Amino acid sequence: MEIWTDGTTIVQACDNTGAIRVFTSRACTAQAAPEHPLWWKTPLAVDAGAGRIWANDRVEEFRLDDLARVTTHTDRVLRLAALGDGRLAAVLPGGRDTKGVRLAVGTPGAWEREVVLNDLHDKHPVTAGLAMTDDEPTSRHLDGDPTLTATEHGIVVADGRRGVVAHFTPDLDLVGLWYAGGIDETELIGYATDQGILTTARWAGRDSLIFRLTPEGPRELLAEYAAFAMPADGDRTWVVGNFDILLLDRDGGTLATANTPSGLVLAACAAGRHCALGTASSVTLVVADGDTITTRTLPTEELVDIIGVFPDAPRDETALLKATSTHSLRHGHASHTASDGEHHIVVREVRVGGGDDVRAALRAAGATAVESRPHTADGPRHPCCEGAGR
């Protein structure tokens, strides 16, 4: 999944549903299915001024206002970022005789300039100590799955497996380079700011370390669980994790907090005092007003929560595990004991059409009662007990 916002509009490209959606703060206003399947880290770029969306590894171009298809380009890309005036930055696969991926600027089919992301240390001095160690990386060419961002302060390409963060101007002049080794299987995401490169290192999507890279080296700001860090307005920073949304000051102090919606945060994007985040079942628009954070969460599809009531522990959960892994966006279920001693199993975020299988599996496991309720993104932790005196 990828997500974008300018504070007014949200665009989401979701591999789970295979759809691209446009939202306002109140509702989904347009939806389209691309010609080619979306994948986990779908390339996405939006230019509100040009009124265009570019998405997918085989670049498909849409109008922003109604998601009408403009064209499908022949270019294959790994990542996209909008530069303004209809121009893009893109990470392209390496050529037949090229070791390392390529960074390009321009438009699909008419790239104006590109550089091969290999042996960058020959072009710019290296700042060591990027994250975990000062060891030299095993390879200096970027490949596989780098991340790409673009701000008014430049373009950043980061490759966690190679332990490299590279900062370019919009004309692809290399102006900053940081290396580290010993951090394999880490995702690195960097944003160019006037204070340095705001960087997040994510280990297997769980633990995260947030720091700022400067020519003098890294400066750690915060360790957080499964977080994304992004520039906010002024010298503030957004940090979005699976439990909290934080607004930090220049030195990493917390200015404001709010709870995230239920579900794993899969993508986030910031635009000044606004931020958008996406889970498998919702999008949330976050707004900072002084030292207060407000949120508005919108569902991305119609879902239900299904509750099974058991006199004691379930007899056999085999069929239930199969049903939940197939029909629930959570791919599992939660259980707890109510105050009256009943055992409750809650299967959240079940798609329309999967409810019968889940209800049958709950009864097969020994449920004496089964109830379905509309899923709400900001609903109670135990919907079965809410208002029931349990």
Side-chain angles (χ1 to χ4, degrees), residues 223-298:
E224 184 74 4
Y225 181 75
F228 298 89
M230 300 154 290
D233 55 339
D235 56 3
R236 303 190 296 180
T237 298
W238 284 111
V239 176
V240 176
N242 276 339
F243 301 109
D244 299 299
I245 302 168
L246 307 176
L247 188 64
L248 307 182
D249 63 20
R250 181 188 185 96
D251 299 318
T254 301
L255 298 171
T257 65
N259 294 329
T260 56
S262 63
L264 183 68
V265 177
L266 301 174
C269 176
R273 68 186 191 93
H274 298 87
C275 179
L277 57 94
T279 70
S281 61
S282 67
V283 297
T284 298
L285 181 63
V286 185
V287 183
D289 186 6
D291 59 357
T292 302
I293 295 175
T294 60
T295 64
R296 177 182 292 274
T297 299
L298 302 172

Side-chain angles (χ1 to χ4, degrees), residues 13-35:
C14 182
D15 59 304
N16 206 2
T17 59
I20 300 170
R21 297 185 178 95
V22 176
F23 297 83
T24 65
S25 62
R26 298 287 178 179
C28 178
T29 58
Q31 177 174 316
E35 289 183 351

Side-chain angles (χ1 to χ4, degrees), residues 107-249:
T107 57
W111 302 113
E112 302 159 9
R113 185 180 179 188
E114 66 178 56
V115 295
V116 178
L117 300 181
N118 187 17
D119 292 330
L120 296 178
H121 61 288
D122 291 338
K123 305 175 179 66
H124 193 279
V126 175
T127 304
L130 170 62
M132 293 298 291
T133 74
D134 290 333
D135 298 337
E136 289 295 316
T138 57
S139 174
R140 286 193 171 97
H141 69 274
L142 280 69
D143 66 355
D145 189 29
T147 60
L148 173 69
T149 65
T151 70
E152 61 179 314
H153 299 285
I155 299 167
V156 176
V157 184
D159 189 333
R161 293 194 302 170
R162 301 303 186 189
V164 178
V165 174
H167 179 200
F168 295 85
T169 69
D171 294 325
L172 299 190
D173 296 322
L174 182 60
V175 292
L177 185 62
W178 294 265
Y179 276 165
I183 55 170
D184 192 32
E185 298 183 3
T186 303
E187 181 182 46
L188 288 170
I189 307 170
Y191 293 87
T193 74
D194 60 357
Q195 305 166 50
I197 309 301
L198 178 64
T199 308
T200 305
R202 293 164 53 89
W203 288 268
R206 300 294 181 181
D207 295 327
S208 300
L209 182 65
I210 297 162
F211 46 96
R212 188 172 289 121
L213 298 174
T214 69
E216 291 72 40
R219 178 185 172 221
E220 184 176 334
L221 294 178
L222 183 70
E224 184 74 4
Y225 181 75
F228 298 89
M230 300 154 290
D233 55 339
D235 56 3
R236 303 190 296 180
T237 298
W238 284 111
V239 176
V240 176
N242 276 339
F243 301 109
D244 299 299
I245 302 168
L246 307 176
L247 188 64
L248 307 182
D249 63 20

Side-chain angles (χ1 to χ4, degrees), residues 334-346:
S335 62
H336 66 278
T337 301
S339 59
D340 59 5
E342 290 179 336
H343 189 81
H344 296 169
I345 286 183
V346 182

